[in-house]
Every structure is written in C-alpha cells, then in structure tokens.
Amino acid sequence: MDLNTVVEMRDARSRDMWRPGDAWLGGGTYLFSEPQPHIRRLVDLSRMGWEPVRLTAAGDLEIAATCTIAELSRFAQGADWAAAPLFEQCCRAFLASWKIWNMATVGGNLCNGLPAGPMISLTAGLDGVCELQSQSGSKRQVPVADFVVGAGVKVLEPGELLRSITVPTRALARRTAFRQASLYGLGRSGALLVGTRDPIDGELALTVTASTVRPIQFRFPLPPNAAALHEALEYGIRPDEFYDDIHGLPEWRRHMTFRFAEEIRRELLQEDGR
C-alpha cells in the first residue's frame, strides 16, 4: 500500500532531530500493509549494518531488531540448544509467505505489539531482554514480557529505538513446549503458549500470548500439579485481559489457554511422572 502522506525518507545513520510524524522503517511489512495517515517521514534502518543474530562471548543470543524472520530461522536450525525447536515453531506461527519471511523483522514484530506477534511469544518465553535507545543515545533494558503492556501498546518513548533483544544462555538450555491455535487453518493465532523447564533447578515457566492483550508469565519453582496451575491462571489473568477480536472470542481464548497450559505442564513434567 502506498503511504501517500510520507514526504521524506532519511537514513538512520544521519543525525537529525526526531519530530512528530516520524517512524522507524525496518522491513516495512506492517507499515505498508494499511494506511498510516500520521506518518510524514520514514527513518530507514536497513543500512545500520547490525549483525542480524549472533552468540556473545558469554553465550547469550543477541538478535538485532533488523534481523529478519528468515535469518533467525536459518541461524537457529544449525544450533544445538535444547530450546532451538521453539525458534522454528514460532517462526512458522507467522503463516506468512517467503516474501514476508525475508522482509519482516523481529524488532518490527515486537514494536507492533500485537497479541498474536510470534516473536513476542518466542522472546518473552525465553526471558529475552530488549535494549532500547533514546534519541540522546542513552540506553535502557526492558524484559520482553514487560515491553508490551496492551494490544498494540508498548513502553517505547517518542523516538526511542528497539536496538536488539538478548536471550540469556541459560534460557537456551531450557526444554520447551509449544501450543498454538487459530480459528481456521491459515488464521492469526488466537492462543499461543510457550512452556520451558530449567535443567538446573527444575523451574517451570509458562508464557501466555495471543489469547491475552499482553504477554503474561507464570513461574513455578516447584513442579505444579493440575490444580495449582489452574489456580495460578484463574487469579493471574483478569477476564478483561483475554483479547476480543474477529480471530477469537475471549471465552474461546480462555478455554484454549487453560487447555494448552495443562498440556504443557504434563509434557514438561512427564519425566517426573506427574
């Protein structure tokens, strides 16, 4: 879709004051998908030269905001982490064409803040941390689970840039479980849950996305039984936090959340015979 209100495009490497009507341009798959009448200028990130994805000296995984879905998928396919399968599962949750895979960015998916954003599900489920950079150059770190606070609502300040997402090495060693549901075969996720189990202390973590307006996490230092899990979900998710749109009613999303949570609990605790 043409953005007929845009009158200028500038390189993000050039220093220029941020002004109302500016928007960061990564892959552009969302920006050009629907009218954006408030945008007057695009600030292009494509020439920043950030390495798409890499392992740090400490073994953490650093994903640049400009990393495409295809680049992340390829990198994870060659990895030997216990959590590696989760990357492909979340990438596939896009249900997008190869064109989108090669243009859409991880950062763009997070910054859209949509409940069904699978990169939100992936990075929140693996305890990812966003590095945000202000126009003055100062930086701050925000956990992905706290980055999105509502449907399409983020903690970004005007002109603030999502630079990267870091997944800690300990999270990469976790066993994972993935559940996703849509109302129809190629539909947007109506519920997407990620479970992980720490190999060191046995902690079970559950991250609820798509069915809720924001990522909601639950942590169980001791293996929960079915009743404990149900109670945590019952009191940990308010009724108004279940998302309501054409891709699923709140009642259905709630049902699938509770069902998937119990399936994940059983899968990750099966070695314990629970």
Side-chain angles (χ1 to χ4, degrees), residues 3 15 34 39 61 66 102 112 115 128 174 185 203 206 219 231 239 256:
L3 300 181
R15 293 287 183 178
E34 59 183 54
I39 296 179
L61 182 69
T66 49
N102 283 279
N112 285 344
R174 286 177 167 241
E203 179 190 63
L206 179 72
R219 294 186 180 276
E231 183 178 16
M256 297 307 298

Side-chain angles (χ1 to χ4, degrees), residues 190-191 211 230 233-234 237-239 242-243 249-260:
S211 58
H230 188 280
L233 293 172
E234 189 73 48
I237 307 176
R238 301 192 313 269
F242 286 104
Y243 196 42
L249 293 173
E251 295 80 6
W252 174 75
R253 293 177 189 266
R254 181 184 185 279
H255 170 77
M256 297 307 298
T257 297
F258 278 71
R259 172 181 167 180
F260 284 162

Side-chain angles (χ1 to χ4, degrees), residues 173-242:
R174 286 177 167 241
R175 287 177 49 226
T176 64
F178 171 92
R179 295 293 188 280
Q180 183 264 352
S182 301
L183 281 178
Y184 36 93
L186 296 178
R188 182 176 292 178
S189 296
L192 199 164
L193 276 66
V194 171
T196 66
R197 185 90 189 273
D198 193 291
I200 298 175
D201 60 16
E203 179 190 63
L204 187 147
L206 179 72
T207 303
V208 179
T209 59
S211 58
T212 51
V213 297
R214 62 181 178 87
I216 300 179
Q217 283 192 317
F218 300 88
R219 294 186 180 276
F220 302 91
L222 298 177
N225 59 23
L229 177 63
H230 188 280
E231 183 178 16
L233 293 172
E234 189 73 48
Y235 290 100
I237 307 176
R238 301 192 313 269
D240 64 343
E241 289 184 303
F242 286 104

Side-chain angles (χ1 to χ4, degrees), residues 73-97:
S73 172
R74 285 195 295 268
F75 189 90
Q77 285 176 6
D80 59 358
W81 326 307
L86 183 64
F87 285 77
E88 188 69 11
Q89 288 168 325
C90 288
C91 287
R92 293 290 172 187
F94 266 104
L95 299 175
S97 70

Side-chain angles (χ1 to χ4, degrees):
M1 174 175 291
D2 292 335
L3 300 181
N4 56 17
T5 61
V6 174
V7 296
E8 185 182 351
M9 185 169 176
R10 75 171 178 88
D11 193 322
R13 296 173 298 177
S14 65
R15 293 287 183 178
D16 196 1
M17 184 178 297
W18 188 266
R19 59 199 191 204
D22 282 359
W24 298 110
L25 173 62
T29 56
Y30 169 74
L31 282 179
F32 290 94
S33 70
E34 59 183 54
Q36 311 283 349
H38 61 288
I39 296 179
R40 299 292 179 271
R41 182 171 67 162
L42 296 175
V43 185
D44 184 15
L45 296 168
S46 64
R47 299 181 182 179
M48 294 300 288
W50 298 333
E51 187 174 357
V53 56
R54 70 183 185 96
L55 286 173
T56 69
D60 298 336
L61 182 69
E62 184 182 88
I63 308 168
T66 49
C67 175
T68 66
I69 307 308
E71 288 170 330
L72 181 62
S73 172
R74 285 195 295 268
F75 189 90
Q77 285 176 6
D80 59 358
W81 326 307
L86 183 64
F87 285 77
E88 188 69 11
Q89 288 168 325
C90 288
C91 287
R92 293 290 172 187
F94 266 104
L95 299 175
S97 70
W98 63 270
K99 295 179 181 179
I100 299 297
W101 266 50
N102 283 279
M103 290 300 297
T105 62
V106 175
N109 195 246
L110 267 70
C111 289
N112 285 344
L114 299 177
M119 295 297 99
I120 299 173
S121 308
L122 170 67
T123 52
L126 293 178
D127 298 333
V129 176
C130 299
E131 180 176 275
L132 309 181
Q133 181 174 315
S134 71
Q135 286 294 296
S136 67
S138 63
K139 297 179 180 179
R140 62 183 177 122
Q141 278 71 43
V142 177
V144 175
D146 299 327
F147 178 72
V148 178
V149 294
V153 185
K154 293 82 59 182
V155 298
L156 285 169
E157 300 292 337
E160 198 169 30
L161 172 68
L162 171 58
R163 168 62 182 85
S164 63
I165 307 96
T166 299
V167 176
T169 183
R170 184 162 174 173
L172 296 174
R174 286 177 167 241
R175 287 177 49 226
T176 64
F178 171 92
R179 295 293 188 280
Q180 183 264 352
S182 301
L183 281 178
Y184 36 93
L186 296 178
R188 182 176 292 178
S189 296
L192 199 164
L193 276 66
V194 171
T196 66
R197 185 90 189 273
D198 193 291
I200 298 175
D201 60 16
E203 179 190 63
L204 187 147
L206 179 72
T207 303
V208 179
T209 59
S211 58
T212 51
V213 297
R214 62 181 178 87
I216 300 179
Q217 283 192 317
F218 300 88
R219 294 186 180 276
F220 302 91
L222 298 177
N225 59 23
L229 177 63
H230 188 280
E231 183 178 16
L233 293 172
E234 189 73 48
Y235 290 100
I237 307 176
R238 301 192 313 269
D240 64 343
E241 289 184 303
F242 286 104
Y243 196 42
D244 184 7
D245 71 351
I246 61 172
H247 299 283
L249 293 173
E251 295 80 6
W252 174 75
R253 293 177 189 266
R254 181 184 185 279
H255 170 77
M256 297 307 298
T257 297
F258 278 71
R259 172 181 167 180
F260 284 162
E262 174 58 16
E263 290 181 5
I264 286 173
R265 185 193 73 85
R266 291 182 181 181
E267 179 178 335
L268 291 178
L269 299 184
Q270 63 184 356
E271 292 181 357
D272 298 345
R274 294 175 183 265

